[in-house]
Amino acid sequence: MTFIHCPVLSSEVVEHLAVENPEVYVDLTSGAGGHAGLIIDRYPEVKAFLIDRDIESVEHLRDKFKSNVNVKVIKSNASDIDKILFLNKVVKADMILADLGVSSHQLDTPERGFSVRHKGLFDMRMDRENDFTALDFLRKVNETELKNILSRYAQERESGRVAAALKKAVLEGAETTLEFAETIRGAKRFFPKGIDAATQVFMAIRMAVNNEVGELEKLLEKSFALLSEKGRLGIITFHSTEDRIVKKFFRERKEGLPY
């Protein structure tokens, strides 16, 4: 298995997470280990906990860092950070990072079912040990709930039309990414130039299938509580819903509101 991935904001991550003589670094969404590698190279003595819920990422990380005794790779949800550190007898962390969203490896692997361009079963599970796929989600969710999810996560102005079209496609036996992508394109009348009409809808369904908002809210609360006195928490977002949640969280802490 080959992971080719260039971490986003690499220099910014290293710069803004930097603390003097860090003892513990936690990467909550380690992926291909791009950010982790940069941090570990800068701080060779740091004890690093690399977490991901994707078993393919975990296997890659274990191989990549197998010679480093200071690195521990763990398959788990990011929201389990408190349990992970407790079990490893770690009280506080000096640097915590979460790079949200889907990885390029997941998008480029057709059978993972994330892409609007590659044919595969409509899967979208970040944790493939979870039985609930995107296809299961579309079969189970009612049209009104689906409409609300598309409005919230994709800011989809035609959420009603798209939700109705997707439910109809499921009833008619659609099962693949390309079938659902084409259904969405056919239902939409308005979409930004230069962006596939199905992209935002796919993203919203992925977020729902993987409970990404729920995970984000939990990891923020738990990570903040686990920071050392000098600790820093960094979150990279790619979506307005996540961005609002993160900014609101940090703003409230900065203003000294109860937490």
Side-chain angles (χ1 to χ4, degrees), residues 29 32 46 63 72 81 89 96 168 171 189 202 237 250:
T29 53
V46 75
D63 182 65
K72 186 161 190 177
I81 180 175
K89 299 180 180 179
I96 303 176
K168 182 173 183 289
L171 289 174
R189 297 167 296 181
F202 265 46
T237 67
F250 281 116

Side-chain angles (χ1 to χ4, degrees), residues 51 96 148 183 195 209 251 259:
I51 302 167
I96 303 176
N148 292 337
T183 295
I195 300 177
V209 169
R251 185 170 58 251
Y259 56 87

Side-chain angles (χ1 to χ4, degrees), residues 114-127:
F114 287 99
S115 176
V116 300
R117 297 182 294 107
H118 302 303
K119 183 177 181 179
L121 287 177
F122 204 44
D123 191 322
M124 289 193 175
R125 291 171 298 165
M126 290 184 174
D127 181 355

Side-chain angles (χ1 to χ4, degrees), residues 53-66:
R53 56 176 161 173
D54 189 327
I55 188 61
E56 293 180 7
S57 291
V58 168
E59 290 172 350
H60 166 77
L61 291 165
R62 285 174 177 163
D63 182 65
K64 180 173 183 175
F65 295 102
K66 61 186 176 184

Side-chain angles (χ1 to χ4, degrees), residues 115-120 122 138 161-162 165-166 169 172 174-189 191 196-199 201-202 205:
S115 176
V116 300
R117 297 182 294 107
H118 302 303
K119 183 177 181 179
F122 204 44
L138 285 184
R161 287 173 58 89
V162 175
L166 287 170
E172 292 175 350
E175 293 186 337
T176 70
T177 50
L178 296 188
E179 288 174 305
F180 288 116
E182 192 57 36
T183 295
I184 296 163
R185 296 179 191 120
K188 285 177 60 64
R189 297 167 296 181
F191 48 88
D196 191 297
T199 297
V201 174
F202 265 46
I205 294 171

